[in-house]
């Protein structure tokens, strides 16, 4: 039987230490702060990142270098026969397409999965891949299962400020300025490869209610209504108290469910800024 390795990038929120515990290789996503390159959980931690943001630092993201990818793949293939690599969605980064191009030189040993996941739902895809591998599935069977279910996930995120979305070119300056004046807290949806406005809230309380209603609708109309067959995730950017309260509300809706709370990866936080709160669902493969 072929020995299959699972790999992803740090956009998934899987830290280097967690990756070692899971048996997953994690490619660090680089980001720039005032034109200096950093790597999450390697050269900068969450606290250091947000401290720099307080100083109005300029932040942006970049792709992993070709050397970072190929060196990691080469090292993995010394002890494995095949690699399933799950990067962030091609619709939100060019890193997936770069990985696909590089994989062409590996004679079918590296399978790049573009299942249009990002952040916590990307991590869920990694968890699915690990479970399928444990069940004895081949690399081809695992890849097919991940691609067949790629749209069975949603993320709803309420941002506290439009500043970073505007800086990243996700909003026009006029819309960002209007949102600041009116103190609008937009609720965004990530579905597949698209980042869209889902609703506009006047308060955080209203924004949370909107997200919970979206979860309920997805559960009823898309995910079969059985919470045991769904991953529930909460993510935040320096908003742990909000995350704890949202977890309690979710468990009130669906008693007994497991809900994971994690900070958003820094490569995502560069575009979101502090104070954001997100809830994500993904149907288990």
């Amino acid at each position: 039987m072929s020995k299959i390795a699972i790999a992803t990038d740090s956009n998934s929120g899987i830290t280097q230490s967690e990756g070692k515990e899971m048996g997953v290789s994690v490619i660090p996503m680089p980001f720039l702060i005032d034109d200096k390159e950093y790597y999450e959980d390697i050269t900068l931690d969450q606290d250091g990142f947000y401290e720099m943001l307080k100083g109005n630092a300029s932040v942006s993201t970049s792709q992993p270098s070709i050397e970072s990818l190929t060196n990691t793949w080469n090292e993995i293939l010394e002890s494995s026969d095949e690699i399933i690599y799950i990067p962030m969605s091609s619709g939100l980064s060019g890193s997936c397409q770069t990985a696909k191009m590089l994989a062409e030189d590996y004679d079918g040993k590296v399978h790049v999965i573009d299942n249009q996941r990002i952040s916590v739902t990307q991590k869920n895809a990694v968890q699915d891949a690990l479970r399928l591998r444990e069940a004895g599935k081949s690399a081809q069977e695992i890849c097919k299962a991940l691609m067949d279910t790629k749209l069975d996930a949603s993320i709803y995120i309420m941002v506290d400020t439009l500043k970073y979305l505007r800086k990243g070119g996700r909003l026009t300056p006029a819309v960002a300025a209007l949102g600041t004046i009116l103190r609008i807290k937009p609720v965004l949806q990530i579905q597949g490869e698209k980042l869209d406005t889902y609703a506009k809230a006047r308060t955080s309380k209203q924004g949370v209610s909107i997200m919970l209603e979206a979860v309920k609708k997805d559960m009823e109309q898309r995910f079969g209504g059985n919470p045991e067959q769904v991953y529930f995730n909460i993510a935040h950017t320096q908003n742990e108290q909000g995350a704890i309260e949202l977890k309690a509300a979710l468990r009130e809706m669906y008693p007994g469910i497991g809900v994971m709370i994690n900070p958003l990866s820094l490569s995502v936080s560069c575009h979101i800024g502090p104070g954001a709160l997100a809830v994500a669902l993904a149907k288990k493969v």
Side-chain angles (χ1 to χ4, degrees):
M1 180 180 291
S2 178
K3 186 174 182 181
I4 304 166
I6 310 296
T8 187
D9 60 47
S10 62
N11 182 276
S12 64
I14 300 174
T15 64
Q16 297 298 318
S17 58
E18 187 179 8
K20 290 179 181 178
E21 291 175 5
M22 296 171 69
V24 173
S25 297
V26 182
I27 303 289
M29 295 288 286
F31 53 94
L32 301 174
I33 300 179
D34 290 335
D35 297 323
K36 182 177 179 181
E37 190 170 68
Y38 294 90
Y39 294 89
E40 180 174 5
D41 203 36
I42 295 177
T43 57
L44 189 65
D45 61 14
Q46 291 267 336
D47 290 339
F49 173 79
Y50 289 109
E51 192 63 33
M52 288 184 173
L53 283 194
K54 289 180 183 178
N56 203 32
S58 173
V59 296
S60 60
T61 54
S62 183
Q63 296 185 33
S65 68
I66 290 174
E67 291 76 14
S68 176
L69 276 172
T70 56
N71 288 346
T72 300
W73 290 351
N74 292 339
E75 183 178 345
I76 293 172
L77 288 172
E78 290 178 3
S79 56
S80 299
D81 301 310
E82 296 178 86
I83 301 170
I84 295 175
Y85 179 54
I86 308 172
M88 67 181 292
S89 169
S90 62
L92 298 167
S93 170
S95 60
C96 181
Q97 196 57 41
T98 298
K100 281 189 170 185
M101 178 188 68
L102 294 173
E104 292 175 0
D105 294 331
Y106 281 79
D107 299 323
K109 295 180 180 179
V110 178
H111 311 273
V112 178
I113 302 299
D114 183 14
N115 66 338
Q116 298 176 350
R117 298 291 183 91
I118 185 174
S119 189
V120 287
T121 60
Q122 182 182 347
K123 180 178 180 177
N124 294 152
V126 172
Q127 293 170 310
D128 283 330
L130 290 170
R131 288 193 299 107
L132 291 168
R133 184 184 67 180
E134 184 67 22
K137 302 297 183 181
S138 68
Q140 288 75 18
E141 288 172 322
I142 295 172
C143 292
K144 184 178 186 304
L146 294 180
M147 291 301 294
D148 286 348
T149 57
K150 67 180 182 180
L151 296 182
D152 292 340
S154 286
I155 300 175
Y156 300 96
I157 180 166
M158 177 177 62
V159 298
D160 190 55
T161 173
L162 297 171
K163 173 182 175 181
Y164 299 94
L165 286 167
R166 178 181 58 79
K167 279 187 173 182
R170 267 66 177 182
L171 295 174
T172 65
V175 172
L178 180 64
T180 301
I181 293 170
L182 298 179
R183 298 185 181 277
I184 291 172
K185 292 184 179 296
V187 177
L188 309 176
Q189 180 185 30
I190 301 175
Q191 174 63 57
E193 63 182 14
K194 295 181 179 180
L195 171 64
D196 292 322
T197 299
Y198 181 75
K200 296 185 178 76
R202 294 288 186 182
T203 65
S204 295
K205 183 178 180 180
Q206 185 184 25
V208 168
S209 294
I210 289 170
M211 290 194 292
L212 290 173
E213 282 300 316
V215 167
K216 184 179 179 181
K217 182 179 178 181
D218 277 350
M219 284 295 297
E220 292 174 352
Q221 298 183 8
R222 297 177 55 210
F223 300 144
N226 183 358
E228 293 184 1
Q229 297 299 317
V230 176
Y231 294 109
F232 290 86
N233 304 277
I234 294 171
H236 66 94
T237 56
Q238 284 202 316
N239 192 359
E240 188 170 2
Q241 184 57 41
I244 291 171
E245 292 171 3
L246 181 55
K247 176 179 179 177
L250 270 178
R251 297 196 72 178
E252 187 174 334
M253 289 172 58
Y254 303 106
I257 61 168
V259 182
M260 295 299 297
I261 296 179
N262 290 290
L264 279 171
S265 66
L266 297 185
S267 55
V268 176
S269 301
C270 285
H271 300 291
I272 299 298
L277 188 61
V279 59
L281 305 176
K283 192 172 182 180
K284 296 178 181 178
V285 174

